[in-house]
């Protein structure tokens, strides 16, 4: 397993656990974090043994934003000229499932990174926000788009314009997170949830992820067609034959990934 300057990686059978590890900066996301996450997610996607990934931070902070100290001296010419922080598509292009397990602060780029996940599990200590306006800037890693799609215009607009934080309960009510978990149980719960996903037929996991994501990218009729065609495709897999036989024979399916 590769070593990363800003990440700690553990393997739990078919689940990869990635911890952001810049405690001195509350896991603020700098260019090195982006490079490390890009490499770690590519390695996960390419590893046939790994079936689900959990991304987490510390008890105090998932990530308190993009690194303000890195951005402090950068002007327009530099950030526009270098397309600063433009590599996130390589993280969101991850084909296999991944979960963000959020405790403490998920602010600015931290909230935006969590929203890149397939879903968020929140500790009861989680706090979400897009406080960039207080720095006289705005979200830049997808927050204005993903937060609005997740919670709707009114709440997203209020969050972005006031910079206020949303606690875990409000985030669950607003459908930003899938579930709230007691902080002490967050990692165990996330690993268990990930193990459940890792136990599914691999091609079905890819297809389920692709079709739910299509709901954000397409209109309803194209989305429904895409879903049906992917369903049809899964009917060509060995695992579908096995899954339906196993159900009829009252036993657990054994997957080959074909
Ligand atoms: N960047 C750099 N350092 C940070 C950050 C950050 N985002 N957040 C915290 N730190 C550092 C602090 O400077 C401090 O370092 P030091 O000990 O050297 O002074 C250390 O982490 C601990 O932080 P605090 O002492 O402030 O801890 P508190 O518990 O008092 O406060 C808070 C916690 C409320 C989370 C506070 O740290 C805070 O407000 N942080 C900044 C939150 C923020 O504004 N985030 C948004 C940043 S902008 C952004 O994310 C833009 C994303 C899009 C970029 C796209 C480019 C194209």
């Amino acid at each position: 397993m590769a070593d990363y300057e800003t990440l700690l990686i553990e393997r739990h059978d078919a689940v990869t656990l990635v911890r952001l590890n810049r405690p001195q900066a509350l896991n603020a996301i700098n260019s090195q974090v982006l490079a490390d996450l890009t490499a770690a997610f590519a390695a996960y996607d390419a590893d046939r043994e790994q079936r689900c990934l959990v991304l987490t931070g510390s008890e105090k902070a998932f990530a308190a934003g993009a690194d303000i100290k890195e951005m402090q001296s950068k002007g327009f010419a530099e950030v526009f000229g270098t397309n600063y922080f433009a590599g996130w598509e390589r993280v969101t292009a991850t084909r296999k499932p991944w979960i963000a397990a959020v405790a403490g602060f998920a602010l600015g780029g931290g909230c935006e990174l969590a929203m890149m996940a397939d879903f968020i599990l929140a500790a009861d200590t989680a706090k979400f926000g897009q406080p960039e306006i207080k720095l006289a800037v705005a979200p830049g890693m997808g927050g204005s788009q993903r937060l609005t799609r997740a919670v709707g215009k009114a709440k997203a607009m209020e969050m972005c314009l006031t910079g206020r934080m949303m606690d875990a309960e409000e985030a669950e009510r607003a459908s930003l997170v899938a579930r709230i978990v007691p902080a002490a149980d967050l990692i165990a719960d996330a690993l268990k949830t990930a193990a459940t996903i890792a136990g599914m037929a691999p091609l079905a996991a890819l297809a389920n992820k692709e079709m739910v994501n299509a709901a954000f990218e397409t209109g309803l009729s194209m989305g429904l067609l895409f879903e049906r065609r992917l369903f049809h495709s899964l009917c060509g897999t060995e695992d579908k034959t096995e899954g339906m036989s196993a159900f009829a024979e009252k036993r657990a399916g054994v997957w080959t990934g074909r």
Side-chain angles (χ1 to χ4, degrees), residues 117-196:
D118 296 324
F119 60 91
I120 300 172
L121 288 179
D124 49 15
T125 57
K127 286 188 165 45
F128 300 89
Q130 299 291 158
E132 289 93 336
I133 195 165
K134 295 184 187 172
L135 303 167
V137 286
M141 288 166 48
S144 63
Q145 307 304 298
R146 291 197 177 93
L147 186 66
T148 308
R149 282 166 164 77
V151 307
K153 178 181 167 184
K155 206 174 271 289
M157 193 68 95
E158 191 208 7
M159 302 282 297
C160 290
L161 286 178
T162 67
R164 81 166 173 90
M165 292 185 215
M166 194 194 274
D167 66 17
E169 288 206 356
E170 185 181 2
E172 188 187 35
R173 275 200 310 276
S175 298
L176 179 59
V177 308
R179 242 167 354 97
I180 304 177
V181 179
D185 304 336
L186 179 68
I187 301 303
D189 192 303
L191 289 174
K192 191 170 164 220
T193 305
T196 299

Side-chain angles (χ1 to χ4, degrees), residues 22-29 60-61 63-71 79 83-86 88 105-112 129-135 137-143 165:
R22 294 190 73 219
Q24 72 286 5
L26 298 185
N27 291 330
I29 302 164
K60 180 164 182 186
D67 192 317
I68 299 167
K69 292 164 190 169
E70 181 178 274
M71 294 183 290
V79 295
N83 212 4
Y84 178 63
F85 249 36
W88 294 103
F105 297 110
L107 302 177
C111 184
E112 296 172 296
Q130 299 291 158
E132 289 93 336
I133 195 165
K134 295 184 187 172
L135 303 167
V137 286
M141 288 166 48
M165 292 185 215

Side-chain angles (χ1 to χ4, degrees), residues 30-49:
N30 61 10
S31 300
Q32 188 62 48
V33 174
L34 170 56
D36 286 352
L37 282 175
T38 300
F41 275 75
Y44 159 62
D45 232 8
D47 186 338
R48 292 180 64 86
E49 304 296 316

